[in-house]
Amino acid sequence: VRSEYYGKMFGIGMKERDAAEITVPKTDLASFTAFIDYLCTDQLDLGEGEGEQARRALDLRELAQMYQVPRLELLCAQALQESVGPASAVPLLEAAHTMGDGRLLAQCRRYVADHAAEVRARGGVEQLRDLGVAKGLLGDALDQVAEL
């Protein structure tokens, strides 16, 4: 399959090859199933709905990094960039901050600045959990006010 990690795990006699169960940390069943489906079919399925697709792309990107699947990682990064919208901008902004993804972070910050009313109407303020991100958004807003 497309993962060197799993190719070695199941191909050269590691204990997982013959195990009845394998524990996979940091994921849920739906995301891991989508990961395995991608490895077997080269098709990326992010599910239905704006919020679910963004969450699944985040989860799959983490799995792709963990298990060394660079093409899937790139596809997930692209999907995340395309999924920035009023409901997803703040959660994606916080995720980008946590992951250290400068490109997605900048895109989300710009989206929030350009579409503040829509983001707020979709619960963006209530979604904020990270104080550092909140401070950054406040700084952006103050910069915009200063420009006026």
Side-chain angles (χ1 to χ4, degrees), residues 50-51 83-92 111 118-119 122-124 127:
E50 178 183 336
S83 71
V84 176
S88 64
V90 171
L92 287 176
Y111 187 91
E118 296 167 61
V119 171
R122 296 292 297 266
Q127 292 174 338

Side-chain angles (χ1 to χ4, degrees), residues 3 5-6 24-28 31-32 34-36 38-39 44 46 53-80 91-92 94-96 98-101 104:
S3 170
Y5 178 90
Y6 281 104
V24 181
K26 297 183 180 182
T27 191
D28 59 34
S31 295
F32 189 69
F35 178 71
I36 295 298
Y38 169 78
L39 292 177
L44 179 60
L46 296 176
Q53 288 181 345
R55 185 193 56 76
R56 179 78 44 80
L58 285 169
D59 292 347
L60 284 173
R61 184 173 170 194
E62 188 173 352
L63 288 169
Q65 289 171 340
M66 198 173 1
Y67 298 116
Q68 305 161 8
V69 187
R71 183 170 184 278
L72 177 59
E73 188 176 346
L74 290 172
L75 289 171
C76 290
Q78 180 181 7
L80 287 168
L92 287 176
E94 290 187 323
T98 300
M99 294 184 309
D101 184 337
L104 183 60

